[in-house]
Structures are given as C-alpha cells and as structure tokens.
Amino acid sequence: MKLKLKALWHSGWQRLNTFDIRPAKPVVHELFKQAYADLDAGDFLSAKDYFSKILLNNNRNRRALLDLSHVHIRTGGFKQAIALLRHSLKNYPNDYEFYSLLGEAYSSQNKLKTAVKYYARALDLCPGDPKIEHLLN
C-alpha cells in the first residue's frame, strides 16, 4: 500500500488525504444538486454561489467551470465568463465545450469575428457537432 501511494505521489497526483478527498464527494454532489435546482427555479445568483463553492473545493472541476461560465453568459456577465473560460483553457486546452462557450460569450456581445474563431476551434476539436455547425452557418 505504501508503495502504491508513493507511486501516486511521484506521478504528479496531489497528496492523498482521506479527510480532503472522500468527504468532499457527497458535499460536491449536494452542491451541484442545489445549483441545478436553483437554475430550474431561475435563481441564477444562488446557482453562481454554489458553483463558486464547488470551485473552492476543486478549482479544476470541469463541470462547475462550464456551468458557472454558462450562468455568467446567461446573466450578462460576459467579461467574467470570458475570463473564466480563458483561464479554464489552461487546464483543458483541447476541450471543445470551453471554446464553444467562448464563441457564445463573444457572439452575445456581437463580436462575431471573434465568436466565429472560437466556434471554428470547437468544431476542429469536435468535428461534425451539429450544434456548433449550426452556429457557424
């Protein structure tokens, strides 16, 4: 067991601590549930708070990054969404959803040339995606 933990540590994983990892999963799950319930109820401010809490626990949580960015776009927080999405690309440089949301953020601001650039990159990463193809046409 010690050898396995040592191998994980040396392979770049963060230090394993059962108090940090195991209890967080149910908490994060509950935070997501509450965030989605708030979104369904139209309470975007509260949903933002829950997604932010998830990111405090793990600032690389892909789903929380995407969902928080999406809420920023829906509520007119384009600058916040763009900053969050650009930062997220450092950890997920080949994730088409981040590029697609960047396209949406720029498109919502009528910055169509920049939006097309990000939609095109998303389509490069996910060829044939009907939603992205529709947005580019």
Side-chain angles (χ1 to χ4, degrees), residues 20-102:
D20 292 339
I21 295 173
R22 292 195 180 129
K25 274 193 170 183
V27 170
V28 170
H29 177 73
E30 288 303 314
L31 291 172
F32 270 114
K33 276 178 51 176
Q34 188 58 50
Y36 293 137
D38 287 344
L39 287 176
D40 288 341
D43 189 351
F44 295 109
L45 185 59
S46 182
K48 280 184 196 179
D49 288 341
Y50 283 109
F51 290 131
S52 295
K53 287 177 185 176
I54 294 165
L55 291 171
L56 284 175
N57 183 41
N58 175 3
N59 66 356
R60 292 184 179 188
N61 186 305
R62 181 183 173 278
R63 186 78 260 150
L65 290 165
L66 288 166
D67 290 341
L68 181 58
S69 299
H70 197 256
V71 172
H72 279 309
I73 291 168
R74 291 289 164 249
T75 58
F78 305 117
K79 288 182 181 180
Q80 296 95 328
I82 290 167
L84 184 60
L85 290 163
R86 285 181 162 200
H87 179 75
S88 299
L89 285 174
K90 293 176 185 174
N91 294 315
Y92 300 99
N94 297 313
D95 192 312
Y96 80 97
E97 286 185 88
F98 287 104
Y99 287 99
S100 180
L101 275 177
L102 269 166

